[in-house]
Each structure stands twice: as structure tokens, then as C-alpha cells.
Amino acid sequence: MTDDPPRCAWAVSDPLNRAYHDAEWGVPIRDSRELWEALMLEGFQAGLAWIVILRKREAFRAAFAGFDPVKVAAFGPEDVERLMANPGIVRARAKIEATIKGARIWCEMQARGEDFAAFCWGFTGGAPIQSPGHGFVATTPLSEAISRELKRRGFKFVGPTIVHAWMQAVGLVNDHQQGCFRRAPVAALA
């Protein structure tokens, strides 16, 4: 549509991508559970296009108990098999098992009094980083540092590229391109 506002290049061709971009992408998330859900979904995206995960997001939420980490942490081998048989999600055993393990790590952090949101936002000093918005970057020194720390804690599918995509999605960094109609409103949320 010619009367559409200018958007980031990745969000122009698909209506679902446009809606996600316009309402969610880059908006700072401060909720621990939501941050964890987003990280797990980014892990499922590894090797795939984000639109695949976006189209399956509601099925993922249903399959993973609303991404309630306490419930997912209690999943056992029978749940892995149930999920492997679910055509509504990406059926990758390693990613399913990584999500269950990630829930257990999230719960362990909470039990120690370490809030996942505080952990995540601690890397940026509590405020979103405002990128220059000039072109595509797959990783940054910060996504590499966060990736190392997540891996050290036992998380899987959290390489620097996945972490950077997650940082963009949850608003740790405002990576809306220059000229995108969402860049200034998202920056104002900082």
C-alpha cells in the first residue's frame, strides 16, 4: 500500500510481520516471564525465518502452558513426546528440551532471588540502547556478552545472533531503522 507509513524493511511484505512490527517489536518488555518467553521463541527460530515462529506463536503458547516457566520446568519425557507430536509448533527435540531446561534455569534464578527481568535489563543499565538505525547488524559486542552469560548459566540456543534478535524484539535495543514511523515512539518509551 502506498499510503502505509514507512517501516523497517523486514516488516513491509507480510501483514503479520507488519502487525507485529507496528505493535510489539522493540517495545521494552519489563516482565520476567515475557522476556523468557521471547528468548525461548527466538531459540526456536534458529535456522528459520521469524515469520514461521510468529505464525505458530499461539500454538507454542498453548503447547508450553502459556510459557509459564514453573509449569514448563515440570515437563518430563512424556511432555517432550507430546510436543514432538504437535504439528502446530516447530518439532525440534533439542529446542523443546532447551526450553524445558531454560524454564528450570529461570525458576532457579527466581528461587535465588534473581529476577530475570533485572538480569536482562542489567546489561543495558536499565534503559534501552538507541541504535543509530543505519542498516542491519546480526551481532554486537553486547549480544556476544549476554550470549556468553546465558550459556554459562546453562541456556541453549542463545548464540549472539539469536540474542541480538531477542534484544531487538524485547526493546533492550531500539533498532528501528531511520525513517521508520515506529523509531521515535519506541525511543520515547525509554
Side-chain angles (χ1 to χ4, degrees):
M1 293 183 179
T2 56
D3 60 344
D4 269 357
R7 289 180 177 85
C8 296
W10 64 267
V12 292
S13 62
D14 184 278
L16 188 57
N17 261 348
R18 278 196 305 275
Y20 171 72
H21 169 273
D22 294 357
E24 296 180 58
W25 193 73
V27 174
I29 295 174
R30 302 283 180 173
D31 179 83
S32 289
R33 190 212 59 78
E34 291 178 25
L35 285 163
W36 176 76
E37 173 185 344
L39 184 61
M40 296 302 100
L41 288 172
E42 289 290 348
F44 271 101
Q45 188 244 331
L48 304 169
W50 174 246
I51 191 66
V52 172
I53 303 306
L54 200 52
R55 288 181 180 135
K56 294 177 177 278
R57 184 165 60 167
E58 291 310 314
F60 271 109
R61 287 175 172 161
F64 283 94
F67 281 99
D68 178 334
V70 174
K71 291 178 180 175
V72 175
F75 282 12
E78 65 284 351
D79 294 295
V80 173
E81 295 311 315
R82 171 184 58 81
L83 293 164
M84 285 297 295
N86 184 337
I89 67 169
V90 173
R91 294 178 285 183
R93 186 176 301 274
K95 293 176 181 182
I96 290 168
E97 290 173 347
T99 300
I100 296 167
K101 182 173 183 175
R104 292 175 181 154
I105 296 166
W106 186 95
C107 289
E108 290 165 6
M109 290 174 71
Q110 295 295 112
R112 288 193 307 268
E114 187 177 12
D115 181 67
F116 191 68
F119 164 77
C120 297
W121 284 98
F123 287 98
T124 65
I129 295 166
Q130 303 300 313
S131 81
H134 302 298
F136 174 76
V137 180
T139 65
T140 63
L142 183 56
S143 74
E144 291 169 2
I146 295 172
S147 171
R148 276 192 304 275
E149 180 57 20
L150 288 167
K151 287 177 182 178
R152 187 188 71 74
R153 290 168 179 259
F155 285 96
K156 303 288 184 200
F157 294 97
V158 290
T161 301
I162 289 171
V163 169
H164 185 67
W166 168 74
M167 291 171 61
Q168 293 170 311
V170 301
L172 288 169
V173 60
N174 178 5
D175 243 351
H176 283 280
Q177 294 173 337
Q178 286 291 332
C180 174
F181 86 104
R182 289 292 292 155
R183 183 171 175 79
V186 168
L189 298 173

